[in-house]
Every structure is written in structure tokens, then in C-alpha cells.
């Protein structure tokens, strides 16, 4: 939505200081509202910097667009950031959906079926490169990508490899890809009931693929807008161009007690991890409030 590296660093540092588990950022090149100033930052360049300026929190994307980068160089970049962070990286990756940002920066934007075909091949390539034993080479022959005699380097440093996160609301291909490749499945900006329905679809896909459905992490992403009282909630909602009542229906919004109740509904739906989208990066007091008055009540 427009940020400097220093903006993002300030949020990441406060995230670490106040006890949150992770800092994830979007991977977009164009704003979806407002003037977008001072402009976008590249997700993996940013995370490489943050890897050296934080020490505890996990770092990742929600979601990297498969349209933005070739799978081989993407695997190199993410593995390098994993090394730079001491093994704290996760890769959320999706097919790409925002046509305007592709047009604005000269990035090809195929039709939906081809984007998903390319996405599926990217998942195979990235996971294949990381999973190739040292000293062996990796080959891949797909419709869109071909690799020959790749040394499949560098390797991630964290035990078990870099977790892949797949998300979305698709009913067929997305759950199947999650069952095959993902450590985690994420539902973006959906009701608790919608989360439960989509989680059930992923569990079914895991069972169909012969995978233990309990082995995949299920998570939710929701806009955050919490205030000490109704006036502060309204002020924070206005600052991001949203209506407070609408956010109460569709995000984690309201007083700390309301936020706890909302998060409880998502936990009941099956989510064991929640991503809280803080859109006003200058409002670090917002993070302090959630850390002090919401997180301790979650158990």
C-alpha cells in the first residue's frame, strides 16, 4: 500500500519486542487504495534486510505471487533469506490475481487457468530444488518451466525445509495443491463459517491424497482494528478508510474483549494460527494494545 523499508522495520521490531510470533508482509507492487506513496517495496529484498535486523520472529510472505518471479531464482532468494535469518523463513505463495499491478510494471498476466498451471509447476520446482540431496542434481520438465542438471543450491538451513503456505478460497485445485505441497493452508479475509467450510475441504483433499489431515496447519488472515473504546476503534477504522461496524463483521475489530471473542470463533472453526493485517504502519500503539490486552487472554 506504500511503505519505506524503515516503516516495515519499525513494525517488525515492535512485533518482536511485544511478543508476537512472526512478521509477514504482502507481496504487491501497486496500492489497492489511496495514493500508494512513497511506493512499494520488494517483499524478498525487505525480508532479507529484516532477517539481519531481527532475531526471534518468523518471517514470510502472505502471499508471494507466482507470476512475479521464475521458480528457480525464487527458490534461491528464499533459501538465502532463510540462511540470513538463521532458519526463520516461510514462503506463502499464490497464483497471482491483481491484474493492474502486472500491467503497471510490465509483468505478464496470463488467464486464470494458465496462472494456476504455472503456479503448480512453481510449487513442484521450488520444493524439488530444496528437497534435492546435496551433491545431486534436479531436473524438471513442465509445460512452462524446464530445468536441467540444476545443482539445486543453496539449501535452506531450517530442519525440515522451508514451510510452504498455500491459501485461497478455491474449491478444487487449491485444496489439492495444499494437500500435496503445503505445510499450512490459509484462508484470507473470510467469515469463521467460511473458514470452517474451506478447512474441511482441505482435510478431505489430504485424506484423498493419503496424507494425515492433522499434519497441515490451518490458518486465517483478518484485518485488525482494535481500540480501547468505540471512539478509538472508529478512529483506527477511519485511518485505513474502513467502517468500524463493517470491520467488526469481517475482521478482528472492536474492543480487546470483542477481539478475543472473534478470535475464539476462528479457533472454533479450526484455525490454529491467525495473521492480523495491520494496515496503518505508523500506528505502533495498535500493536502494543493487542499484545497487552488481547494476546494474554487467548490461552
Amino acid at each position: 500500500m506504500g511503505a519505506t523499508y524503515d516503516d516495515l522495520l519499525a513494525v517488525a521490531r515492535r512485533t518482536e519486542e511485544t511478543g508476537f510470533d512472526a512478521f509477514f508482509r504482502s507481496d504487491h507492487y501497486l496500492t489497492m487504495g489511496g495514493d500508494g506513496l512513497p511506493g512499494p517495496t520488494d517483499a524478498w529484498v525487505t525480508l532479507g534486510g529484516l532477517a539481519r535486523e531481527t532475531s526471534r520472529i518468523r518471517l514470510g510472505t502472505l502471499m508471494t505471487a507466482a507470476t512475479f518471479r521464475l521458480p528457480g531464482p525464487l527458490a534461491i532468494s528464499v533459501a538465502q533469506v532463510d540462511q540470513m535469518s538463521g532458519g526463520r523463513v516461510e514462503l506463502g505463495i499464490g497464483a497471482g490475481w491483481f491484474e493492474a499491478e502486472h500491467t503497471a510494471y510490465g509483468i505478464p498476466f496470463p488467464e486464470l487457468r494458465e496462472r494456476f498451471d504455472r503456479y503448480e509447476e512453481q510449487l513442484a520446482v521450488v520444493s524439488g530444488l530444496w528437497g534435492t540431496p546435496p551433491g545431486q542434481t534436479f531436473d524438471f520438465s513442465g509445460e512452462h518451466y524446464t530445468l536441467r542438471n540444476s545443482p539445486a543450491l543453496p539449501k535452506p538451513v531450517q530442519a525440515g525445509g522451508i514451510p510452504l503456505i498455500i491459501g485461497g478460497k478455491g474449491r478444487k485445485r487449491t485444496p489439492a495443491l495444499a494437500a500435496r505441497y503445503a505445510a499450512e493452508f490459509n484462508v484470507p479475509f473470510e467469515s469463521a463459517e467460511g473458514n470452517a467450510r474451506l478447512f474441511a475441504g482441505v482435510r478431505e483433499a489430504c485424506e484423498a491424497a493419503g496424507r494425515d489431515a492433522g499434519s497441515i496447519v490451518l490458518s486465517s488472515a483478518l484485518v485488525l482494528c482494535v481500540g480501547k473504546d468505540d471512539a478509538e476503534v472508529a478512529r483506527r477504522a477511519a485511518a485505513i478508510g474502513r467502517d468500524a461496524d463493517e470491520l467488526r463483521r469481517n475482521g478482528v475489530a472492536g474492543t480487546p474483549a470483542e477481539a478475543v471473542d472473534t478470535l475464539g470463533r476462528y479457533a472454533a472453526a479450526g484455525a490454529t494460527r491467525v495473521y492480523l493485517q495491520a494496515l496503518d504502519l505508523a500506528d505502533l500503539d495498535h500493536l502494543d494494545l493487542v499484545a497487552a490486552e488481547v494476546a494474554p487472554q487467548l490461552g
Side-chain angles (χ1 to χ4, degrees):
M1 305 299 284
T4 65
Y5 174 74
D6 286 341
D7 294 332
L8 296 168
L9 174 60
V11 175
R13 282 179 168 163
R14 189 64 63 89
T15 298
E16 186 159 84
E17 292 163 0
T18 51
F20 290 98
D21 296 316
F23 174 85
F24 275 62
R25 56 155 297 162
S26 63
D27 193 359
H28 284 294
Y29 291 134
L30 197 67
T31 183
M32 293 157 221
D35 58 20
L37 293 173
T41 50
D42 182 271
W44 287 101
V45 172
T46 298
L47 292 170
L50 297 178
R52 307 302 291 179
E53 299 196 71
T54 58
S55 60
R56 179 187 60 80
I57 51 173
R58 306 228 11 120
L59 301 166
T61 49
L62 206 69
M63 300 283 189
T64 279
T67 48
F68 286 176
R69 301 168 185 87
L70 296 171
L74 175 63
I76 291 171
S77 296
V78 178
Q80 181 180 7
V81 178
D82 193 50
Q83 292 179 352
M84 294 168 71
S85 70
R88 293 183 284 125
V89 162
E90 304 181 23
L91 172 60
I93 183 168
W97 62 271
F98 189 20
E99 183 173 7
E101 67 185 338
H102 294 74
T103 302
Y105 287 98
I107 303 167
F109 188 74
E111 51 85 25
L112 180 61
R113 180 179 294 276
E114 182 179 335
R115 293 203 308 278
F116 258 88
D117 290 344
R118 288 178 175 272
Y119 175 41
E120 185 168 359
E121 289 188 19
Q122 286 219 355
L123 290 166
V125 170
V126 169
S127 60
L129 288 168
W130 290 340
T132 298
Q136 297 184 21
T137 58
F138 176 75
D139 295 288
F140 180 83
S141 181
E143 181 180 353
H144 301 286
Y145 305 107
T146 299
L147 288 77
R148 293 284 182 267
N149 298 317
S150 173
L153 297 171
K155 298 299 185 193
V157 300
Q158 60 186 299
I162 294 170
L164 288 173
I165 304 169
I166 290 175
K169 303 178 184 181
R171 300 297 182 91
K172 295 181 179 180
R173 293 187 73 175
T174 300
L177 291 174
R180 183 174 181 183
Y181 293 106
E184 177 178 337
F185 174 73
N186 177 265
V187 177
F189 313 113
E190 180 59 82
S191 66
E193 295 76 15
N195 273 250
R197 182 179 64 253
L198 291 163
F199 291 158
V202 169
R203 292 191 192 99
E204 291 173 4
C206 286
E207 291 167 1
R211 175 179 177 178
D212 176 9
S215 69
I216 190 166
V217 174
L218 301 174
S219 65
S220 307
L222 296 159
V223 176
L224 181 69
C225 184
V226 176
K228 294 188 296 293
D229 51 36
D230 288 347
E232 189 167 83
V233 174
R235 177 179 64 76
R236 287 199 163 111
I240 60 174
R242 299 285 289 270
D243 176 75
D245 290 336
E246 178 268 324
L247 284 173
R248 280 184 165 97
R249 293 190 298 271
N250 299 305
V252 177
T255 63
E258 288 178 288
V260 171
D261 288 344
T262 298
L263 291 168
R265 292 198 298 274
Y266 281 86
T272 58
R273 195 179 196 187
V274 177
Y275 297 83
L276 302 173
Q277 186 185 40
L279 290 169
D280 185 355
L281 300 184
D283 187 3
L284 298 181
D285 290 343
H286 196 187
L287 300 184
D288 294 344
L289 176 65
V290 174
E293 298 192 26
V294 177
Q297 300 184 58
L298 298 178

